[in-house]
Each structure stands twice: as C-alpha cells, then as structure tokens.
Amino acid sequence: MRTVQGAALDGLRARVRALAARRRPERAGRSPRGEAPLADRGPAVPGLGAAAPGRRTSARESSRYAAPAPAPAAAAESPARAALAGFGVLLRGLARPRPGEVRTSAAALRALRARHGDAPALVRTRSGRTVLVLLDPQDLRRFYAEPVSVLAAATPDKCRGPNPGEPADSADSGCARGEPGAERREASAEVLAAGRPVHPSHGPFLAALAEEARHLTGSASATGAVPLDLARARYAVQRAARRIVLGDAAAADEQLSGWLTQLRAESRGARAGRARAARSVHDKARARIAEYAARADGDTLAGRAARHADPTGTLDPVGQAQHWLLAMDAVPDTLLRTLLLLGAHPAEQDLAVAEAVAEVAAGPDRGELPRLRACVRESLRLYPVVPDLIRVTRTETEWRGVRYPAGTSVLVPAAFHQRDPERVPAAHVFVPGRWKNPGADQDIRMAPFSHGGGRCPGGQLGLMATAALCAEVLRGHRVTGTRPVLDPVGPLPATLDPQGIRLTLTRR
C-alpha cells in the first residue's frame, strides 16, 4: 500500500525527469564535469581537400575552416558533435584520467577521424587554445623522431611515470636531445641502466623488493584470505623505493615520502599564498635525501649517481634521487592493475605462477621474468599512466602539406592509439602474448615508455621491479577475488581507478 510520502516522492521524481528532459537540448555539446568543450563552431581542421594536390598551405589559410560563422542548430545536435563535445577532456594535457574520460576522448577522436580521415586535426577549445592532434601512426613515427630543436616537451607539471626514470612527457625529456638537460639525462640513463632488462644492481634490488613484498601478503583475515588494496601496495613499494634509491637506512622514513607527496600535490594546484610552505617542504626533503645519499651504498641509485663524472658541474644527484622516488609512485597502481587482470584470467595467472616459481632457481639470471613483464606491459597498454603526450613546435613545421607556426601544441593521444580497434588486434582484451612477438617493443602504436630520444631511461628498471613484486605475490598466493569484477572474454573497461581495486589473496 502506497504511503503519502511515497506518492510525494514519485511526483518529485517525475518533475525532476521532466526538467531534465526540458534542459537536455540546452546542454547538448557541453563536456562532462564542466571541462572546456570544443568551440561552438567545431574543430578547426586544415583544408584537406580544398587545396590542389601538392600545394602547401599555411595554418592561417586553413583557419577559414574554423571561421566564426555560427554553426547550424541541427549540427549541434548531431551524434558526431555530441562526441566531439567531450574532446575537451583530452585537452587536460598530462593529467591522470578520471573514470569515463578515456572513453569520452576515444569517441571524440573516432568522430574526428570519421569526419576528416587520418590527417592531423587542429582542434580549438572554448578558451582559444589550439592543439594539433595526430591520428595516423605515420605521424606518430615523426613525432617521436623529431629533435628537440623542432619539437620540445610542453611545460605542464611533470607527470608520474611507471618507472624510476624520467616520465614519458616530463619537461626534462624535451631537453634530452642536444640541450643543457642532455647531460643530466645521459647520466640518469647510465645510472638506471637504460635498455638493459636486468639492472647491474639487480641482486640487492630484488632482495629489497622480496623483503618489502611481505607487506603485500601479510595480515591474513580470519578466513585465511589476505586483502590487498592501494594503501598496502603504496606502503610496500615506497619502502622498497627508498631502499633502492637511498639505501636500507631510508626504508622506514615515512616522513620523507610524506614530504614528497605534499610537494606533488602543491605542484598540481599551487597557490601563491602556499609557495613559501612548499619551498620549506622542498628544502627539508632535499636535506634529508642529501643525508642519505652521502652514506648510500654503491649499489643504490644514489650511490651510482655519486660516482658519475660531472666535469661541468651541472648534475644534481640529490634532485635526481628525489625524482626517482617520485617516479616510483606509479608502480603500486600498475602492480594492482596487473594482479587484477591476472585474477580475471586464470590461465594467464597459472602461466605467471609457473614462471615465478621457476625463477627462484634461475641464479644470476634472476629478474628477467619475460612472461610477467609482458603482463605488466599489457596492463600499461590498456591503462597507461601518461595517456596523452604533448610537444610544442619551436619552429614552423609542416604536416601533410599544411604549415603551422612555431608554438603550435602537438598532441599524441597515446591511450587512444594503444586501444584503437581499427589498428590493434583485440584492442580491448588482455593479451600479454602480443608483447612476445618480435619487434613488439618498437611498435609505434604502443608507447608505455614513449619512443625515440624521449624514451624513459628507467623503463626496464620499472618493469623489473613491478614484475618482481608480482612474482613475490604469486609464488605463495593466488588471486581468487577481485573488485571490480572483470569480464575475461568481453572488452575491458576504459579505466581502472586503483583506489577502487580490492584483491583477495589465498595461500597456495
């Protein structure tokens, strides 16, 4: 029997639905979460068919395709335009995606490609910012190959990379090819053993990871199951990172990690009134790192950096150590996603377990773990830490016969290309075996660690650390419960927020 309150609630719901239906046409074309959508006039796309073949046009000439003439009302309601309205989300640059944003951006990019083909598209936001979006793998190849004198890294806040090297799109990475930052980057590459699957200091590194992995698998519940979430993963990885970078003496220094976390938060949303406090925290963190680095063992990253020759006096070992600690913060996210995917795919988990068990007897060859590394790479393909790469032209450049002035922002939507079903087989499915194919690491569509001169020097060390942590978990436990629950056959979700991942480990 319905109550008076129930009837009133039903009436209120009906009024809300009616109001929403009335306002829906007004909101067409707006992007979610209040993001800046595309300009009302649509994207400014160079005239692909307007010029005669071979003719070189300039971006100024092609700007007539974004002329200030008002768009027809019908166009504003088209499905393509509705998809493009969400493209403003992509133009955040290097921020980490929130749930739903990657899917919205992919729909916008598909709409761009459907309307204009694979040619680069000059997209304008309401704020007036324009970005040249690369939609064809051939253009990606050029993007990664251009020297810093042509394409320099943009200057937004540095993003976290899934490795203890420079993030794929950090400000420093743009200086890596012939600028003052090149010497620092070369020193970092040597310390991190860039390109070597197993780091020269892998013995103490793997020992530290194995000891700290006990924090991932301890504290069983009354049923014998072990819960694993992001907080536990961060605690274990941060302890291991401090030992790898600064030595065992820094293992328990939670205050240092707190300072670094505070600095990252300040850099993302700094306010003028808090600059003095941020400087104080920065100075305290540097002083603490310098203390540890002064007595760091030669096998640590800080110890290896201290031994590096510095004839020009431009290297900053303390700053590099701080950067490596910050960069390792993305390992817990990747670790949880990889274990979640293995939990949803029992056959892959069985193969990973067999490799982890066999690796114990590998002796000096420990640390390779090719199958688990493939699982980590596949996790990064599906859920990249840096979804979009941005560069800024330093000189006039030409793309597909159209000239663009210096200062043009060029964007590679890496997350879109890595999951493009038109060019990537089983794009939305967990297939670690794809990374065992010859040349997979050079596939221009896949950029978990970027390519060319901007490639992350710590990529291999990051893979080694993440795969080793997975192996330590899987040797004695099985992932038997996961949240969220993933479909092992159907397409995987566009995003996986590590904050919402809950794993249940059961002893073997």
Side-chain angles (χ1 to χ4, degrees):
M1 181 176 179
R2 297 186 66 195
T3 64
V4 175
Q5 292 86 347
L9 183 58
D10 290 345
L12 179 60
R13 288 172 177 163
R15 288 167 62 186
V16 171
R17 285 195 296 269
L19 181 60
R22 189 182 310 164
R23 295 187 61 185
R24 194 170 293 122
E26 299 173 8
R27 297 184 63 84
R30 295 187 188 176
S31 64
R33 297 182 180 270
E35 294 295 333
L38 293 182
D40 289 338
R41 305 175 187 92
V45 182
L48 305 179
R55 179 191 170 196
R56 298 172 65 188
T57 60
S58 68
R60 286 197 179 94
E61 293 176 64
S62 64
S63 67
R64 64 179 181 271
Y65 295 95
E77 302 296 327
S78 68
R81 191 159 184 77
L84 288 170
F87 191 72
V89 175
L90 191 72
L91 300 186
R92 284 175 165 271
L94 305 177
R96 297 177 67 198
R98 296 178 181 177
E101 289 183 354
V102 173
R103 185 179 299 279
T104 302
S105 301
L109 290 164
R110 283 193 296 270
L112 271 180
R113 190 161 64 185
R115 291 174 61 184
H116 305 290
D118 286 337
L122 191 65
V123 178
R124 183 172 59 214
T125 66
R126 286 189 188 277
S127 65
R129 182 186 181 187
T130 57
V131 177
L132 187 66
V133 184
L134 305 185
L135 302 171
D136 190 301
Q138 294 305 316
D139 294 323
L140 304 190
R141 194 175 304 279
R142 176 185 170 187
F143 176 89
Y144 293 121
E146 288 284 13
V148 72
S149 58
V150 177
L151 276 180
T155 56
D157 294 338
K158 291 186 178 184
C159 12
R160 301 184 300 162
N163 55 76
E166 294 188 23
D169 209 46
S170 69
D172 288 346
S173 66
C175 302
R177 293 165 278 180
E179 296 263 317
E183 186 175 350
R184 290 194 298 270
R185 185 173 176 85
E186 289 172 4
S188 179
E190 182 175 327
V191 170
L192 297 168
R196 296 181 62 173
V198 179
H199 194 275
S201 298
H202 69 281
F205 287 0
L206 292 176
L209 290 165
E211 291 173 14
E212 300 306 335
R214 292 179 297 182
H215 296 291
L216 299 172
T217 58
S219 304
S221 65
T223 62
V226 178
L228 178 57
D229 58 11
L230 185 59
R232 187 188 290 255
R234 281 178 175 169
Y235 179 78
V237 171
Q238 286 176 354
R239 283 183 58 92
R242 291 192 294 268
R243 294 177 64 178
I244 289 171
V245 177
L246 300 173
D248 293 346
D253 197 338
E254 297 295 320
Q255 187 177 45
L256 174 58
S257 292
W259 286 339
L260 296 179
T261 300
Q262 184 178 344
L263 286 175
R264 180 186 297 109
E266 292 289 346
S267 68
R268 289 179 176 175
R271 298 177 182 176
R274 303 169 71 177
R276 183 176 301 177
R279 170 54 61 183
S280 174
V281 173
H282 177 268
D283 292 343
K284 288 189 291 187
R286 279 189 62 91
R288 184 71 60 82
I289 292 172
E291 291 177 12
Y292 288 124
R295 57 180 190 271
D297 186 86
D299 285 330
T300 64
L301 295 184
R304 291 173 62 86
R307 297 199 309 268
H308 197 281
D310 185 13
T312 62
T314 60
L315 302 182
D316 179 14
V318 174
Q320 286 285 14
Q322 177 175 323
H323 179 72
W324 294 328
L325 289 170
L326 286 168
M328 286 282 281
D329 270 2
V331 170
D333 298 11
T334 305
L335 171 67
L336 278 188
R337 291 191 182 111
T338 304
L339 290 174
L340 176 71
L341 290 164
L342 288 172
H345 298 80
E348 290 291 348
Q349 184 175 178
D350 289 341
L351 294 172
V353 168
E355 180 180 74
V357 172
E359 201 247 0
V360 174
D365 295 330
R366 289 191 64 184
E368 293 190 0
L369 295 170
R371 183 172 292 279
L372 269 169
R373 287 186 185 228
C375 293
V376 175
R377 285 181 182 273
E378 183 69 349
S379 174
L380 289 169
R381 180 190 72 83
L382 291 163
Y383 305 105
V385 177
V386 183
D388 311 306
L389 308 178
I390 297 180
R391 299 286 186 267
V392 177
T393 60
R394 290 193 169 183
T395 62
E396 182 181 76
T397 57
E398 179 179 324
W399 299 83
R400 303 288 186 98
V402 179
R403 293 195 299 271
Y404 297 90
T408 300
S409 296
V410 184
L411 182 145
V412 168
F416 169 76
H417 286 291
Q418 292 181 168
R419 274 205 183 201
D420 184 1
E422 296 185 16
R423 293 190 169 99
V424 178
H428 300 295
V429 181
F430 182 64
V431 186
R434 75 175 82 237
W435 292 99
K436 302 187 74 175
N437 295 328
D441 191 50
Q442 305 302 319
D443 190 334
I444 207 67
R445 300 165 301 178
M446 312 298 180
F449 303 107
S450 192
H451 291 281
R455 188 180 181 91
C456 297
Q460 291 292 347
L461 179 54
L463 283 174
M464 186 188 84
T466 310
L469 288 170
C470 287
E472 292 296 335
V473 171
L474 295 175
R475 281 193 193 102
H477 297 79
R478 184 172 188 84
V479 182
T480 56
T482 64
R483 197 179 79 189
V485 177
L486 303 181
D487 184 350
V489 179
L492 292 167
T495 60
L496 276 179
D497 183 4
Q499 293 280 3
I501 295 178
R502 302 288 187 274
L503 304 177
T504 300
L505 309 178
T506 305
R507 287 195 175 277
R508 295 184 176 280

